[in-house]
Amino acid sequence: MDKTQYLQQFVDETGWYNNIVLGLILPEWIWRPLPSPLQTWLRNYIGGSLLYLVSGFLWCFYIYYLKRNAYIPKDAIPSYRAMKLQIIVAMKAMPWYSALPTLSEYMVESGWTKCFSTISEVGWPMYMVYLLTYLVLCEFGIYWMHRELHDIKPLYKHLHATHHIYNKQNTLSPFAGLAFHPLDGILQAIPHVICLFVVPTHFMTHVILLFCEAIWTANIHDCIHGKVWPVMGAGYHTIHHTTYRHNYGHYTIWMDWLFGTLRDPEDNYKKGE
């Protein structure tokens, strides 16, 4: 198979994703004539928006109403107004968030990255090695990107402070997960794209992991301490929103442990007592 045929696999796969999302939601005459990158952006925008809104509403309905007071004390439940403002901020940023996976998919289709199309090309053992390497590098990159957004004062003032107005338990909700300045959200996700140039990565896995960000960020802003070591759950991330100097990590606590910024929710609770 020559390079052109090989890259066509990525183009076909992207077209398949577009068909699934856009074909189910929009009449074909609206999206089919659009250039492929615009189709991809529209798919990412619609898919990302639905994932954010549906997962957020379902999660809020479960923890604030079906399980009222089981997980969150009554005085810690955020107001409708707070959640509405978070949704507005996130939805204003969503068109810009959608541009990042669109760009990454274009670079994959153009053959600029180390992506591979099928796991059979490398085999399951190497796929797992590459996936673990990808995740570790993403953890490292996201940790330092997040930390610098705090340490570099202009970045914090003009970008990251938009997210940190939610600094108490009764202002945090799953909807706060994507309530960022658009550039802030893109900067924190960009290690996922940079890794494509460093580590051979399965294309579908990359796409899935990017969309998992929406669910993960909703989860870590619900203030419920899941106590699943070494996961950087909401208990850790709530501390981040109240101290500003701890728990910068993404999926795990390891980078904070390694670089001395970890604060455990159990220790925090004991100090509070």
Side-chain angles (χ1 to χ4, degrees):
M1 184 186 298
D2 63 27
K3 185 175 181 180
T4 301
Q5 290 175 313
Y6 183 75
L7 295 178
Q8 186 61 40
Q9 293 182 103
F10 297 117
V11 176
D12 293 342
E13 188 172 337
T14 300
W16 181 64
Y17 298 146
N18 293 343
N19 282 328
I20 290 174
V21 176
L22 300 180
L24 287 174
I25 296 171
L26 298 175
E28 194 165 308
W29 62 267
I30 292 179
W31 64 272
R32 185 67 73 180
L34 299 175
S36 180
L38 196 52
Q39 289 183 21
T40 300
W41 174 86
L42 187 60
R43 177 252 294 173
N44 289 327
Y45 175 67
I46 293 174
S49 297
L50 288 175
L51 193 62
Y52 169 72
L53 293 171
V54 172
S55 63
F57 276 115
L58 289 176
W59 194 236
C60 287
F61 179 72
Y62 179 76
I63 62 176
Y64 299 147
Y65 299 100
L66 288 184
K67 294 292 184 178
R68 178 181 286 270
N69 300 329
Y71 299 116
I72 305 290
K74 186 176 181 180
D75 60 353
I77 295 176
S79 66
Y80 284 117
R81 182 176 181 275
M83 289 188 282
K84 179 182 176 181
L85 289 174
Q86 290 162 8
I87 293 171
I88 290 172
V89 171
M91 292 310 298
K92 283 183 178 179
M94 193 65 71
W96 302 100
Y97 293 162
S98 304
L100 184 64
T102 302
L103 178 61
S104 73
E105 290 177 44
Y106 176 78
M107 291 189 293
V108 170
E109 292 172 3
S110 301
W112 300 346
T113 69
K114 292 180 177 289
C115 270
F116 54 91
S117 180
T118 60
I119 295 174
S120 61
E121 293 176 43
V122 297
W124 279 99
M126 286 310 300
Y127 167 77
M128 296 306 299
V129 170
Y130 290 145
L131 176 59
L132 181 61
T133 306
Y134 175 93
L135 290 172
V136 169
L137 289 176
C138 280
E139 283 282 316
F140 179 84
I142 292 171
Y143 172 87
W144 279 106
M145 185 66 75
H146 190 183
R147 185 166 172 175
E148 292 309 304
L149 282 163
H150 280 264
D151 290 347
I152 300 174
K153 299 308 179 185
L155 290 181
Y156 182 83
K157 179 180 178 180
H158 297 293
L159 298 181
H160 201 51
T162 299
H163 184 64
H164 271 278
I165 62 172
Y166 316 114
N167 57 5
K168 298 177 182 177
Q169 195 172 28
N170 63 359
T171 63
L172 286 164
S173 84
F175 289 117
L178 292 182
F180 290 93
H181 184 286
L183 185 54
D184 183 358
I186 289 171
L187 286 173
Q188 292 197 60
I190 209 165
H192 280 282
V193 179
I194 294 173
C195 285
L196 299 181
F197 294 88
V198 180
V199 184
T201 306
H202 182 228
F203 182 40
M204 182 182 289
T205 300
H206 165 68
V207 173
I208 290 171
L209 286 173
L210 274 181
F211 277 88
C212 282
E213 294 287 320
I215 297 174
W216 178 250
T217 54
N219 178 266
I220 63 172
H221 288 87
D222 65 9
C223 300
I224 301 171
H225 181 33
K227 301 180 182 180
V228 182
W229 186 92
V231 175
M232 177 66 75
Y236 289 95
H237 198 71
T238 302
I239 292 172
H240 173 74
H241 273 264
T242 55
T243 70
Y244 300 84
R245 307 303 302 171
H246 302 89
N247 303 350
Y248 299 101
H250 188 47
Y251 287 124
T252 72
I253 65 172
W254 289 331
M255 292 300 159
D256 283 283
W257 172 79
L258 183 63
F259 295 110
T261 53
L262 182 66
R263 177 175 286 186
D264 190 278
E266 298 297 322
D267 295 338
N268 209 52
Y269 177 73
K270 291 173 184 176
K271 288 178 182 177
E273 284 189 318

